[in-house]
């Protein structure tokens, strides 16, 4: 997946000189995870900008650049640090087009998520702060193909897009990518696995956990349909409701913590749009309502796993 | 640098300052008639700063106002009707009623960025404008303002520091009006001159008498042209006084009465009128003509604003996202070929000139690239520090060179 993201940046910079990168240690060093390795050599100091440790200034400068028509891609070294520029994103960036008609064609991207023992400040899934912010778009891919195609769409979009890259998947997800330019549209979920008995909705690393659980369930005769959200804002209502109308049951799985996670929003929209079709409660498997802990046994208890997803799916299938 | 003004420029400065004041007086009347639906902030006593600084910009340059910079918006080409309709939440306002006060802008013609209420955030944004301007070969300068209280924010520090390391063409004016809401400047910052902060960023600064429009203009013009020539950002502290409360609701009873009296005797408009008379730059008839023009323009725009409709409720859901309503294309003023391979390709290595060695550091006096220049109303200008070097044109370093 990491290489797919690098390719997307490379190809977009090649295609359009309005695309510039800025962030901490992404030039000479190539980024903490080497996502931007080689880009400085190719595109030069003006297009790959190593900044001071100043998240507010990184996002602020990207806004200013976008007002002059550039398409900056700002990197958070770890997405946890996006908290440092929360004001800039939620008040300056998100409201710009609505308030005074000034579009902000920028991307803020960075490694997110747990499972690598990064501890409370290098493992976060802060997507819901921003899903609750009208004016932003929030993307969180689970495959290398999608990561490349969605990042290209995000760079070409006229709106600010937050692009979450699950670091657990960086080097674990490996796919052959088609040669040549392609994009994946923002705001469209995808059905990863067809099934008739229940719908499992997920995204990012938990999409893979959900797919594994679906395999386990299939051996027991339960056919789960698995939906990968890909974009959390705007949310693809149609794909979700169509699946619920078919399976009549829905389980939401996310690595984000439980209270205020996107499962609650999905439960509400299913109740609003498909209540008559439901044969059971909307269930969720999520991380616990705690900070992300450091020690392996703690983090393993914190994160959802295949067993927990399969158990919840069995409960739901019994309705 | 000798910067002089022609007679018609002198008169234009008067026009904008007087218009600024008359417009705000009109808005106080509207506020008392409950025709301004939100807050109303006054720049009474600070008009020389808004007008004198913005007057130093070219049309291609960019600015981002703060809440007390209506004068700068007028100089940059907005009309009283824009400001009136904004405050009255009308559908004809630049934001169609979605935001109020001076929270509006114009990317295409006037090059004005809308502020937000959170202080400091504009500084990195305007740094980005300056960086993009340089990237596109536009030779523009970005200007913004911050209050004495606003310099306490982290965003101010991050923005100025980024501008300094990037040598961005940013002119930042600290409008020191002595009060951050109800807190005096000494409780915000313990130094006499807020411009001293420039030293820590390794950039030049000026301290200017903010109630003298000619000095403000001259200092700003010099700063703008230094910035345009690639010397990096510049901080200007303009000393002034906020002559009203934070906003209309605030009677400012916490301000010592004698302080108001001191500054009232130094009112920037009164002073400038006397200066124009003493310098024989106008006569009673010229003044009367300008005043009549202002009254006429304000009356027309007031009628326009009052007769404008409020927005239709269904507007609320429109415009959260750009859905094809904008075409985004930068205004390239340099060959794009310079920015794509093979021309853009470099060796990705840092060169560190002196290894950061203690014994190789320059003595502080010799190292003072920063110089604060004071400019006061009587035209006296002197460097604040005898040892400071005069604005030596710094060579723009190549981007991988790390210098102290």
């Amino acid at each position: 997946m990491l290489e797919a993201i690098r390719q997307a940046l490379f190809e977009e910079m090649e295609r359009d000189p309005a695309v510039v990168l800025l962030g901490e240690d992404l030039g000479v060093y190539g980024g903490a995870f080497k996502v931007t390795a080689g880009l400085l050599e190719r595109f030069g100091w003006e297009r790959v900008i190593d900044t001071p440790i100043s998240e507010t200034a990184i996002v602020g400068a990207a806004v200013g650049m976008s007002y002059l028509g550039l398409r900056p891609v700002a990197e958070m070294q770890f997405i946890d640090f996006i908290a440092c520029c929360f004001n800039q994103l939620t008040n300056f960036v998100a409201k710009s087009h609505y308030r005074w008609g000034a579009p902000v064609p920028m991307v803020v991207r960075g490694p997110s998520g747990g499972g690598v023992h990064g501890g409370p400040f290098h493992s976060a899934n802060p997507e819901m702060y921003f899903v609750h912010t009208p004016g932003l778009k929030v993307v969180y891919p689970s495959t290398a193909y999608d990561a490349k195609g969605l990042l290209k769409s995000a760079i070409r979009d006229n709106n600010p897009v937050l692009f979450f890259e699950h670091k657990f998947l960086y080097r674990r997800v490996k796919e052959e990518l088609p040669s040549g330019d392609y994009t994946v549209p923002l705001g469209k979920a995808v059905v990863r696995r067809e099934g008739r008995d229940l719908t499992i909705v997920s995204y990012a690393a938990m999409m893979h956990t959900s797919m594994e659980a679906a395999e386990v369930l299939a051996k027991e005769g339960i056919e789960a349909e698995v939906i990968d959200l890909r974009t959390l804002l705007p949310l693809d209502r149609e794909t979700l409701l169509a699946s619920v109308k078919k399976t009549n049951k829905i389980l939401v799985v996310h690595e984000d913590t439980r209270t205020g996670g996107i499962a609650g929003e999905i439960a509400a929209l299913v109740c609003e749009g498909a209540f008559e079709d439901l044969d059971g409660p909307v269930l969720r498997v999520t991380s616990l309502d705690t900070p992300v802990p450091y020690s392996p046994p703690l983090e393993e208890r914190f994160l959802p796993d295949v067993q927990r997803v399969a158990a919840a799916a069995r409960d739901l299938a019994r309705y | 640098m000798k910067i002089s003004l022609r007679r018609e420029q002198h008169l234009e400065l008067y026009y904008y300052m007087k218009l600024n004041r008359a417009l705000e007086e009109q808005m106080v009347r509207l506020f008392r008639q409950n025709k301004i639906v939100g807050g109303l902030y006054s720049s009474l006593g600070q008009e020389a700063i808004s007008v004198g600084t913005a007057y130093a910009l070219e049309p291609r340059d960019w600015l981002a106002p703060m809440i007390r910079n209506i004068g700068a918006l007028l100089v940059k080409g907005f009309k009283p009707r824009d400001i009136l309709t904004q405050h009255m939440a009308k559908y004809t306002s630049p934001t169609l009623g979605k935001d109020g006060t001076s929270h509006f802008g114009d990317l295409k013609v006037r090059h004005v960025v809308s502020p937000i209420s959170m202080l400091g955030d504009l500084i990195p944004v305007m740094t980005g404008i300056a960086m993009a301007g340089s990237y596109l070969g536009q030779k523009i300068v970005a200007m913004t303002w911050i209050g004495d209280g606003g310099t306490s924010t982290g965003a101010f520090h991050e923005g100025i520091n980024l501008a300094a390391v990037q040598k961005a063409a940013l002119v930042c004016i600290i409008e020191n009006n002595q009060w951050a809401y109800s807190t005096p400047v000494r409780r915000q910052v313990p130094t006499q001159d807020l411009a001293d902060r420039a030293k820590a960023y390794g950039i030049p600064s000026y301290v200017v008498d903010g109630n003298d429009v000619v000095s403000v203009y001259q200092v700003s013009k010099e700063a703008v042209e230094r910035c345009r020539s690639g010397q990096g950002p510049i901080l200007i502290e303009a000393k002034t006084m906020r002559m009203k409360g934070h906003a209309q609701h605030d009677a400012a009873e916490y301000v010592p009465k004698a302080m108001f009296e001191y500054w009232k005797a130094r009112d920037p408009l009164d002073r400038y009128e006397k200066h124009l008379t003493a310098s024989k730059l106008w006569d009673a008839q010229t003044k009367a003509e300008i005043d009549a023009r202002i009254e006429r323009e304000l009356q027309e725009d007031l009628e326009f604003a009052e007769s404008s409709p409020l927005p239709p409720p269904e507007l609320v859901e429109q415009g959260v996202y750009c859905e094809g309503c904008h075409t985004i294309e930068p205004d390239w003023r340099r060959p794009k070929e310079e920015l794509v391979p093979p021309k853009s390709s470099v060796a990705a290595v840092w060169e560190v000139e002196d290894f950061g060695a203690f014994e190789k550091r320059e003595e502080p006096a010799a190292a003072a690239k920063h110089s604060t220049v004071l400019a006061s109303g009587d035209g006296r200008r002197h460097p604040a520090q005898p040892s400071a070097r005069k604005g030596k044109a710094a060579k723009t370093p190549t981007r991988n060179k790390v210098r102290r």
Side-chain angles (χ1 to χ4, degrees):
Chain A
M1 181 189 263
L2 188 146
E3 180 56 23
I5 295 165
R6 204 187 75 87
Q7 273 181 25
L9 294 171
F10 185 97
E11 289 174 21
E12 288 305 290
M13 292 182 81
E14 198 83 16
R15 187 185 63 80
D16 183 0
V19 179
V20 298
L21 309 184
L22 67 165
E24 297 156 14
D25 307 299
L26 51 65
V28 172
Y29 188 61
F33 288 87
K34 303 294 173 196
V35 173
T36 51
L39 296 176
L40 171 62
E41 281 92 333
R42 187 151 179 88
F43 298 105
W45 302 99
E46 287 188 88
R47 296 187 68 186
V48 182
I49 303 164
D50 278 312
T51 68
I53 304 171
S54 303
E55 284 79 11
T56 289
I58 292 167
V59 170
V63 178
M65 290 172 166
S66 74
Y67 284 161
L68 261 66
L70 300 185
R71 292 183 177 273
V73 181
E75 179 177 288
M76 296 288 115
Q77 195 159 77
F78 283 81
I79 210 73
D80 308 60
F81 299 103
I82 205 166
C84 302
C85 51
F86 188 79
N87 182 49
Q88 199 71 273
L89 283 167
T90 57
N91 279 316
F92 213 112
V93 173
K95 296 174 184 173
S96 176
H97 190 266
Y98 184 74
R99 292 194 307 118
W100 63 289
V104 183
M106 65 181 274
V107 176
V108 178
R109 48 158 291 275
S112 54
V116 298
H117 315 312
F121 306 109
H122 292 75
S123 309
N125 284 292
E127 59 267 27
M128 290 308 288
Y129 296 118
F130 304 103
V131 171
H132 196 61
T133 305
L136 301 177
K137 294 186 179 182
V138 178
V139 177
Y140 208 157
S142 72
T143 68
Y145 179 90
D146 280 358
K148 182 173 175 181
L150 286 165
L151 183 52
K152 286 189 167 213
S153 293
I155 291 169
R156 296 177 197 183
D157 202 277
N158 280 358
N159 297 283
V161 181
L162 306 192
F163 192 87
F164 290 73
E165 301 165 3
H166 203 296
K167 66 176 86 67
F168 186 82
L169 305 179
Y170 264 162
R171 292 189 168 84
R172 286 179 177 85
V173 167
K174 294 194 189 330
E175 297 160 40
E176 276 298 315
L177 296 186
S179 60
D181 186 42
Y182 72 91
T183 59
V184 173
L186 305 184
K188 295 279 179 229
V190 64
V191 178
R192 292 281 177 213
R193 187 183 194 285
E194 300 262 357
R196 58 171 191 275
D197 296 325
L198 78 154
T199 300
I200 302 178
V201 181
S202 193
Y203 58 95
M206 284 301 133
M207 217 289 298
H208 299 276
T209 306
S210 300
M211 287 294 277
E212 281 183 52
E215 294 302 318
V216 172
L217 294 164
K219 289 181 188 130
E220 303 166 15
I222 299 170
E223 288 299 332
E225 179 146 299
V226 179
I227 294 179
D228 183 352
L229 288 173
R230 305 198 286 195
T231 300
L232 306 184
L233 182 67
L235 198 53
D236 183 353
R237 273 173 60 93
E238 288 68 34
T239 301
L240 285 173
L241 293 178
S243 181
V244 171
K245 286 179 183 186
K246 175 176 145 191
T247 64
N248 312 111
K249 290 166 188 169
I250 181 165
L251 166 68
V252 187
V253 181
H254 59 65
E255 189 185 306
D256 187 11
T257 52
R258 193 171 187 81
T259 305
I262 203 161
E265 180 58 31
I266 290 174
L269 78 85
V270 166
C271 287
E272 288 160 0
F275 187 72
E276 299 291 334
D277 297 289
L278 285 177
D279 285 343
V282 179
L283 293 188
R284 54 184 166 169
V285 176
T286 69
S287 288
L288 305 177
D289 277 335
T290 70
V292 187
Y294 173 54
S295 186
L298 301 180
E299 191 179 23
E300 279 157 27
R301 176 64 67 89
F302 169 83
L303 292 171
D305 58 21
V306 174
Q307 289 71 34
R308 283 169 59 198
V309 174
R314 279 183 210 108
D315 286 348
L316 185 55
R318 275 196 283 274
Y319 279 92
Chain B
M1 198 187 301
K2 172 94 175 95
I3 293 161
S4 54
L5 286 158
R6 298 189 308 277
R7 177 175 176 270
E8 54 270 34
Q9 290 178 305
H10 272 107
L11 297 179
E12 224 173 10
L13 286 175
Y14 171 77
Y15 165 79
Y16 285 121
M17 281 173 70
K18 177 80 177 193
L19 179 61
N20 183 355
R21 181 162 297 183
L23 172 58
E24 291 195 22
E25 285 168 353
Q26 179 58 255
M27 289 201 292
V28 171
R29 288 193 286 277
L30 291 167
F31 185 85
R32 290 181 181 152
Q33 296 163 13
N34 285 326
K35 288 177 178 169
I36 284 177
V37 303
L40 178 62
Y41 303 82
S42 167
S43 70
L44 182 68
Q46 300 178 221
E47 297 93 338
I49 300 172
S50 288
V51 171
T53 51
Y55 199 70
L57 295 174
E58 303 288 329
R60 69 176 182 277
D61 293 332
W62 286 69
L63 66 75
M66 286 297 295
I67 202 72
R68 300 184 211 283
N69 296 122
I70 279 175
L73 291 169
L74 295 169
V75 171
K76 207 74 170 92
F78 281 106
K79 298 295 172 198
R81 64 179 56 195
D82 299 314
I83 290 144
L84 289 165
T85 51
Q86 273 289 114
H87 282 82
M88 295 165 84
K90 295 298 180 86
Y91 193 33
T92 51
S93 77
T95 62
L96 314 176
K98 287 176 175 172
D99 203 346
T101 62
S102 52
H103 288 186
F104 63 99
D106 174 7
L107 294 181
K108 290 292 172 207
V109 180
R110 300 181 188 90
H111 301 153
V112 171
V113 172
S114 167
I116 63 170
S117 296
M118 293 74 198
L119 304 178
D121 287 283
L122 272 174
I123 294 172
V125 172
M126 297 311 281
T127 298
I129 296 255
M131 288 166 71
S134 156
Y135 183 75
L136 293 164
Q138 293 179 352
K139 297 192 168 51
I140 55 168
V141 173
M143 176 181 278
T144 190
W145 295 260
I146 185 105
D148 39 292
T151 66
S152 302
T153 62
F156 168 83
H157 163 73
E158 289 195 14
I160 296 283
N161 184 59
L162 177 66
V165 295
Q166 285 288 327
K167 290 215 167 284
L170 174 77
V171 177
C172 178
I173 296 113
I174 301 175
E175 212 165 337
N176 181 356
N177 68 11
Q178 315 300 329
W179 296 91
Y181 208 140
S182 74
T183 307
V185 62
R186 281 293 169 275
R187 277 295 186 98
Q188 294 282 344
V189 187
T191 56
Q192 178 185 282
D193 292 325
L194 304 185
D196 283 353
R197 298 191 152 200
K199 211 180 296 181
Y201 302 108
I203 63 173
S205 65
Y206 297 83
V207 181
V208 66
D209 176 350
N211 284 21
D212 171 28
V213 70
V214 175
S215 290
V216 170
Y217 166 75
Q218 286 171 331
V219 159
S220 305
K221 185 76 180 165
E222 187 173 307
V224 163
E225 294 319 321
R226 282 178 75 177
C227 261
R228 205 187 302 284
S229 71
Q231 292 184 41
I234 292 179
L235 213 52
I236 299 173
E237 179 187 0
K239 306 267 193 196
T240 186
M241 172 68 185
R242 194 191 72 202
M243 297 301 284
K244 292 282 175 186
H246 175 64
Q248 278 291 317
H249 65 271
D250 170 18
E253 283 160 348
Y254 45 81
V255 177
K257 287 209 166 45
M259 189 170 182
F260 276 134
E261 284 157 20
Y262 174 89
W263 284 96
K264 193 167 172 20
R266 285 154 186 81
D267 179 81
L269 197 57
D270 286 352
R271 277 174 69 182
Y272 191 48
E273 289 186 27
K274 288 194 182 100
H275 170 73
L276 291 175
T277 305
S279 311
K280 299 193 170 37
L281 286 159
W282 70 358
D283 53 24
Q285 197 195 334
T286 310
K287 174 175 164 40
E289 279 167 15
I290 298 172
D291 289 350
R293 177 187 162 200
I294 288 169
E295 201 179 314
R296 191 174 63 245
E297 289 173 352
L298 268 184
Q299 191 53 37
E300 272 174 30
D301 282 14
L302 180 65
E303 281 163 24
F304 172 84
E306 295 227 55
S307 63
S308 287
L310 291 166
E314 57 272 22
L315 179 74
V316 65
E317 288 195 279
Q318 292 170 24
V320 177
Y321 294 96
C322 170
E323 288 161 299
C325 47
H326 288 89
T327 309
I328 297 171
E329 182 55 44
D331 179 14
W332 292 96
R333 297 295 170 102
R334 68 188 280 203
K336 290 186 204 178
E337 295 70 45
E338 292 176 15
L339 299 161
V340 291
K343 279 201 172 173
S344 66
S345 298
V346 296
V349 286
W350 295 121
E351 291 173 25
V352 183
E353 278 187 346
D354 53 13
F355 306 149
F358 175 78
E359 63 270 24
K360 290 185 186 170
R361 63 193 282 279
E362 291 175 49
E363 284 307 305
K369 297 201 168 60
H370 140 100
S371 64
T372 297
V373 179
L374 301 180
S376 60
D378 59 7
R380 281 183 297 115
R381 293 163 59 75
H382 51 274
Q385 301 168 318
S387 61
R389 288 198 296 217
K390 289 193 91 177
K392 182 176 146 241
K395 196 170 131 262
T396 308
T398 49
R399 292 188 183 241
N400 60 335
K401 282 225 170 92
V402 184
R403 306 165 168 257
R404 45 173 76 247

